[in-house]
Amino acid sequence: MINNRYLTEIGYLSFNHVGEELCGDHIEVTSKDESTKILVLADGLGSGVKANILSTLTSKMLSSMIAGDISIKECIRCMANTLPVCKVRNVAYSTFTIIKIKDNKFVDIYNFDNPTPFMIRDGKAIDLSYSSTIIDDKTIQHAKIEVLPYDTFILMSDGVKYAGVGETLNFGWDIPQIKNFVELIYRKEYSSKALATELANQCNNLYNSRPGDDTTVAVVRIRERQQVNLLIGPPTNKEDDEKMLSLFFAKEGIHIVSGGTTGSLVSKYLNQPLILETEYLDKEIPPTASIKGVDLVTEGVITINKVLYYADNYLKQNNEYFNWFYQIDGASQIAKYLFELATDINFFVGCAINNAHQGEDTGINFTIKMHLIDELAKKLKLMGKNVKVTYF
């Protein structure tokens, strides 16, 4: 039976072969049901369009068939009969790694010709026990394990293993060095996406930002759920102030308050002073404030707009990660809470119109605020977060 205290968190990042618009690696994530998650990482032969087609078809087919409880033997045969054949090499070829997690506890990994996945437990790299099966002349590795909370699995394409070949290293850095690097950067509080970003970025550095192969890192871990609550804007009807604030503070977890008017409302509700900071840590982002009993108090629309920008980038190459992750302005702190810490997010959105924001010169109005929250909620859902938005 699934333990709702925990969930399976997935993060991944790819870099294209230099000069290619399409990535020859592809990741597909699907769920058989509420208790089962499946990730397939496929690496198509070569690079560019052909490799992209091969890897996309492979990952989509395998993820669908595994979700349908089709045996790995039948999956391989179906895939071999379906994939298009490369006229140059006369083969239909894509390597793959499948990881299936049930009830946030039982893990099956199947690996064909990708670098062998390994696990991080308590900060140390652990080799999994694989058995080998030959299916239609293909040697498939299989590992089965019952995991503990915060066990973390590292999956990768060949581009990771051979990072730096012909650039900064003679023969790449290979699995032992990769394990050492992951052990060095690993922190329990780092999300799967953060770990994938750090490792993929190191590969890109070894390639001197000219990847000689499509490079993909996927990180899967079992983690404890964490709730973050964000309040922005006073309610449309003033008589709803008490209701909105009492519901907001009744929620467990982190509490973030956004907006000057909202901060004043919370200050009055908690009977605690609103203390304004004066230092601009980022010239584009207004300073934060503090109220006893609140984890973070920020300005509203400008700050949330920056968080939305970071969220959009997070879902692409995530290169802004190295800005917001290490900075402490209001937008960066919200990004860390929402992207890194949170698994479940509650937005409490007051719909009162702020007259100070209705002037033509400000470019800020009620419609923009609603749009920002709606877009941010959509992007957080794409990150795999459980998001609930309540309007007042």
Side-chain angles (χ1 to χ4, degrees):
M1 184 176 178
I2 190 169
N3 186 339
N4 289 322
R5 181 183 170 190
Y6 298 96
L7 56 68
T8 299
E9 180 186 72
I10 293 172
Y12 52 87
L13 190 64
S14 296
F15 286 103
N16 297 4
H17 185 293
V18 63
E20 297 289 355
E21 292 187 11
L22 295 174
C23 187
D25 301 338
H26 189 83
I27 284 181
E28 193 72 21
V29 178
T30 189
S31 299
K32 176 190 171 185
D33 50 44
E34 194 176 86
S35 65
T36 305
K37 277 197 174 181
I38 298 158
L39 178 145
V40 180
L41 188 167
D43 181 354
L45 180 67
S47 60
V49 176
K50 288 182 180 179
N52 178 265
I53 292 171
L54 287 166
S55 63
T56 301
L57 283 172
T58 299
S59 57
K60 287 184 177 294
M61 286 170 55
L62 286 174
S63 61
S64 296
M65 288 188 288
I66 295 293
D69 287 330
I70 297 174
S71 71
I72 190 68
K73 186 174 182 179
E74 289 302 312
C75 289
I76 301 299
R77 288 178 176 169
C78 181
M79 187 180 68
N81 291 330
T82 306
L83 289 179
V85 175
C86 174
K87 292 181 180 179
V88 177
R89 297 174 175 88
N90 198 33
V91 291
Y93 189 86
S94 177
T95 65
F96 61 81
T97 306
I98 303 166
I99 182 167
K100 177 181 177 182
I101 310 97
K102 184 172 177 58
D103 296 336
N104 303 318
K105 189 172 185 179
F106 304 103
V107 173
D108 278 284
I109 298 176
Y110 297 94
N111 190 59
F112 169 59
D113 271 11
N114 276 338
T116 305
F118 61 91
M119 184 177 77
I120 300 292
R121 175 174 284 175
D122 297 328
K124 298 297 180 183
I126 295 175
D127 289 326
L128 300 171
S129 179
Y130 287 92
S131 59
S132 294
T133 304
I134 297 177
I135 303 173
D136 288 357
D137 298 324
K138 295 177 174 64
T139 301
I140 310 297
Q141 295 175 293
H142 176 223
K144 192 177 185 71
I145 184 173
E146 186 173 330
V147 297
L148 301 175
Y150 292 95
D151 280 353
T152 302
F153 297 90
I154 312 296
L155 288 63
M156 68 201 93
S157 65
D158 268 349
V160 176
K161 183 177 178 181
Y162 297 115
V165 172
E167 290 285 350
T168 57
L169 301 170
N170 290 329
F171 302 105
W173 60 335
D174 218 338
I175 299 300
Q177 290 77 33
I178 294 169
K179 289 177 180 176
N180 289 339
F181 179 80
V182 175
E183 287 180 347
L184 182 66
I185 64 169
Y186 177 84
R187 301 288 184 276
K188 181 181 176 181
E189 59 270 21
Y190 281 13
S191 71
S192 295
K193 184 62 177 270
L195 288 169
T197 299
E198 294 275 3
L199 179 52
N201 185 70
Q202 177 67 5
C203 294
N204 195 41
N205 290 338
L206 292 172
Y207 279 123
N208 279 332
S209 299
R210 298 189 297 269
D213 193 4
D214 300 296
T215 303
T216 298
V217 177
V219 177
V220 179
R221 70 169 185 158
I222 312 303
R223 62 160 294 185
E224 195 167 9
R225 301 178 82 104
Q226 174 66 59
Q227 190 163 254
V228 173
N229 310 286
L230 189 147
L231 173 71
I232 180 167
T236 302
N237 301 311
K238 189 163 181 58
E239 54 267 30
D240 288 333
D241 287 0
E242 182 84 15
K243 177 184 176 182
M244 181 181 73
L245 292 170
S246 62
L247 288 171
F248 175 68
F249 284 106
K251 292 288 186 182
E252 294 183 354
I254 300 296
H255 293 86
I256 302 169
V257 172
S258 256
T261 305
T262 316
S264 298
L265 192 67
V266 170
S267 172
K268 182 179 178 182
Y269 176 79
L270 295 177
N271 195 27
Q272 295 291 339
L274 173 65
I275 302 172
L276 301 175
E277 301 290 340
T278 57
E279 183 180 0
Y280 274 76
L281 300 172
D282 182 319
K283 63 182 180 180
E284 296 181 356
I285 307 300
T288 59
S290 61
I291 303 172
K292 187 177 179 180
V294 179
D295 295 284
L296 176 65
V297 182
T298 74
E299 179 275 340
V301 172
I302 295 172
T303 301
I304 296 297
N305 187 52
K306 188 70 171 183
V307 176
L308 179 60
Y309 165 75
Y310 286 147
D312 183 63
N313 179 265
Y314 181 100
L315 292 168
K316 295 173 182 175
Q317 282 306 109
N318 201 28
N319 51 311
E320 288 289 348
Y321 163 84
F322 297 97
N323 289 323
W324 57 258
F325 190 83
Y326 295 102
Q327 293 178 171
I328 57 172
D329 60 87
S332 296
Q333 289 191 64
I334 291 178
K336 276 178 275 195
Y337 277 129
L338 297 183
F339 306 169
E340 284 290 293
L341 182 68
T343 60
D344 300 86
I345 300 165
N346 297 306
F347 284 107
F348 292 77
V349 183
C351 297
I353 295 176
N354 188 337
N355 292 328
H357 289 169
Q358 299 311 303
E360 293 182 3
D361 295 335
T362 65
I364 301 171
N365 57 39
F366 170 78
T367 304
I368 289 176
K369 182 177 79 171
M370 292 298 105
H371 174 74
L372 289 175
I373 296 299
D374 287 345
E375 286 301 306
L376 182 56
K378 288 177 186 176
K379 294 187 186 303
L380 290 167
K381 288 176 182 177
L382 288 173
M383 294 179 194
K385 312 293 184 182
N386 299 310
V387 181
K388 182 180 179 182
V389 183
T390 305
Y391 297 95
F392 292 87

